[in-house]
Amino acid sequence: IESVTDNEIVVHSLEAIITYQRVTKRDYNISGKVEKGPFSIGTSVSIEVLDSKLRGIGKVYNTEITDNLGSYSYDCNDFTEPYVELKANGYFYNEMQDALSNGTITLKALVDLSKSSNININVLTHLKAARIKNLVASGVDFTSANEQAQKELLGAFGLSSHIKNDVSSISMTDGTDEAAALIAISSLILMDRSDAELAEYIATLCSDFGELGYFSSYTKSQINDDIYYLAEDLPSIKENLINKYQNLGATVSINNLFRHIDWNNDGTAGN
């Protein structure tokens, strides 16, 4: 053995020099909420560990939502990489129909736990994950891909003023403008779609935004049509959510939802 450092051991032999990298294990206490509206208690949440190229390394951990607010948590001291894909599949509260969904949907978040282990999973993290994967596949490092996807996603909905707040840090229950923006976009994507139609539509949005970093003219036309009909539903959506959380024992305030939709398609919400 020629030398020993904190990071590596270098061993000389007659034929080769072999470098053994020590594997550093990290302890992460992951927690957050899964929300479309809130996902139901008992929903499974998987946590897959990825390398810097977002390839699975064969480690998947599982937990579940512990209340009807969509809350989940997981403690682990065996993470060898900070990059993870969180995935939840379950029933959710439909804020338009004021009822539990009849079918399930899947939502994801793709994050670097070394930045934060408080991870919320929602429609914005789901769309962002699709874009991050495409950017990393093209050679962009995760940090840059995450920042670019965040900027492009919020810009696509006219929400650039919220760009500093990572979408995985936002919950519907926060009572902030960012929370109101999440509710508004979640409702915009839902509109009057059935559960099966919603799952299909989210997949279409992911494919579109993931590849382009913006929505195609066809998709944008559909979004604008949905915006037209959304206006009359926003007051009842706000009331339904406040009542839903109150029935679950949580007092939630919701800011003005109208301020977080790009009504005139000029790239700025609320004006």
Side-chain angles (χ1 to χ4, degrees), residues 222-242:
Q222 178 64 66
I223 290 173
N224 290 337
D225 288 344
D226 290 341
I227 284 174
Y228 178 82
Y229 293 104
L230 179 66
E232 64 184 36
D233 291 324
L234 285 180
S236 62
I237 287 170
K238 179 176 180 177
E239 182 179 0
N240 288 343
L241 282 168
I242 290 174

Side-chain angles (χ1 to χ4, degrees), residues 32-48:
K33 291 185 175 70
V34 185
E35 298 169 323
K36 165 48 213 78
F39 271 49
S40 298
I41 187 171
T43 297
S44 62
V45 179
S46 66
I47 305 167
E48 182 178 9

Side-chain angles (χ1 to χ4, degrees), residues 137-179:
S138 70
V140 181
D141 66 89
F142 183 90
T143 299
S144 299
N146 183 60
E147 292 174 353
Q148 181 176 335
Q150 170 90 2
K151 180 178 180 181
E152 291 171 340
L153 177 61
L154 295 181
F157 287 110
L159 297 169
S160 294
S161 59
H162 303 306
I163 198 170
K164 293 183 179 180
N165 297 281
D166 193 283
V167 292
S168 66
S169 71
I170 304 170
S171 168
M172 290 180 169
T173 62
D174 290 342
T176 61
D177 281 342
E178 288 78 16

Side-chain angles (χ1 to χ4, degrees), residues 24-30 49-50 52 79-84 86 110-119 142-143 146 166 168:
T24 302
K25 294 184 178 181
R26 300 171 177 87
D27 184 7
Y28 293 114
N29 303 313
I30 308 170
V49 184
L50 311 173
S52 61
F79 281 60
T80 56
E81 298 285 350
Y83 309 108
V84 296
L86 297 98
L110 195 58
V111 298
D112 178 354
L113 293 176
S114 68
K115 304 299 183 183
S116 175
S117 57
N118 182 18
I119 308 299
F142 183 90
T143 299
N146 183 60
D166 193 283
S168 66

Side-chain angles (χ1 to χ4, degrees), residues 5-234:
T5 69
D6 289 339
N7 297 317
E8 65 182 12
I9 301 172
V10 180
V11 180
H12 286 256
S13 71
L14 293 176
E15 298 180 353
I17 297 175
I18 306 172
T19 302
Y20 295 93
Q21 296 291 338
R22 284 202 183 109
V23 176
T24 302
K25 294 184 178 181
R26 300 171 177 87
D27 184 7
Y28 293 114
N29 303 313
I30 308 170
S31 63
K33 291 185 175 70
V34 185
E35 298 169 323
K36 165 48 213 78
F39 271 49
S40 298
I41 187 171
T43 297
S44 62
V45 179
S46 66
I47 305 167
E48 182 178 9
V49 184
L50 311 173
D51 66 15
S52 61
K53 300 297 183 183
L54 303 185
R55 299 169 299 201
I57 65 171
K59 291 186 177 182
V60 180
Y61 304 92
N62 294 284
T63 185
E64 65 180 34
I65 290 174
T66 55
D67 58 32
N68 283 318
L69 296 173
S71 306
Y72 77 95
S73 63
Y74 188 81
D75 296 339
C76 183
N77 59 5
D78 193 37
F79 281 60
T80 56
E81 298 285 350
Y83 309 108
V84 296
E85 181 178 69
L86 297 98
K87 184 187 303 183
N89 176 270
Y91 296 92
F92 62 93
Y93 173 70
N94 183 316
E95 67 273 19
M96 285 192 166
Q97 298 180 3
D98 189 24
L100 189 66
S101 65
N102 293 316
T104 64
I105 62 170
T106 298
L107 293 180
K108 303 176 183 178
L110 195 58
V111 298
D112 178 354
L113 293 176
S114 68
K115 304 299 183 183
S116 175
S117 57
N118 182 18
I119 308 299
N120 297 312
I121 307 170
N122 51 57
V123 294
L124 293 179
T125 65
H126 190 79
L127 292 174
K128 184 179 172 183
R131 181 59 176 157
I132 291 174
K133 284 185 176 180
N134 275 273
L135 289 170
V136 171
S138 70
V140 181
D141 66 89
F142 183 90
T143 299
S144 299
N146 183 60
E147 292 174 353
Q148 181 176 335
Q150 170 90 2
K151 180 178 180 181
E152 291 171 340
L153 177 61
L154 295 181
F157 287 110
L159 297 169
S160 294
S161 59
H162 303 306
I163 198 170
K164 293 183 179 180
N165 297 281
D166 193 283
V167 292
S168 66
S169 71
I170 304 170
S171 168
M172 290 180 169
T173 62
D174 290 342
T176 61
D177 281 342
E178 288 78 16
L182 173 60
I183 292 169
I185 300 306
S186 294
S187 299
L188 174 63
I189 290 174
L190 174 60
M191 275 307 296
D192 292 323
R193 295 179 173 89
S194 68
D195 300 325
E197 289 170 337
L198 175 62
E200 182 180 42
Y201 184 52
I202 290 175
T204 298
L205 293 177
C206 281
S207 176
D208 205 13
F209 179 75
E211 180 179 352
L212 302 172
Y214 56 88
F215 296 117
S216 65
S217 57
Y218 177 82
T219 301
K220 192 65 177 176
S221 177
Q222 178 64 66
I223 290 173
N224 290 337
D225 288 344
D226 290 341
I227 284 174
Y228 178 82
Y229 293 104
L230 179 66
E232 64 184 36
D233 291 324
L234 285 180

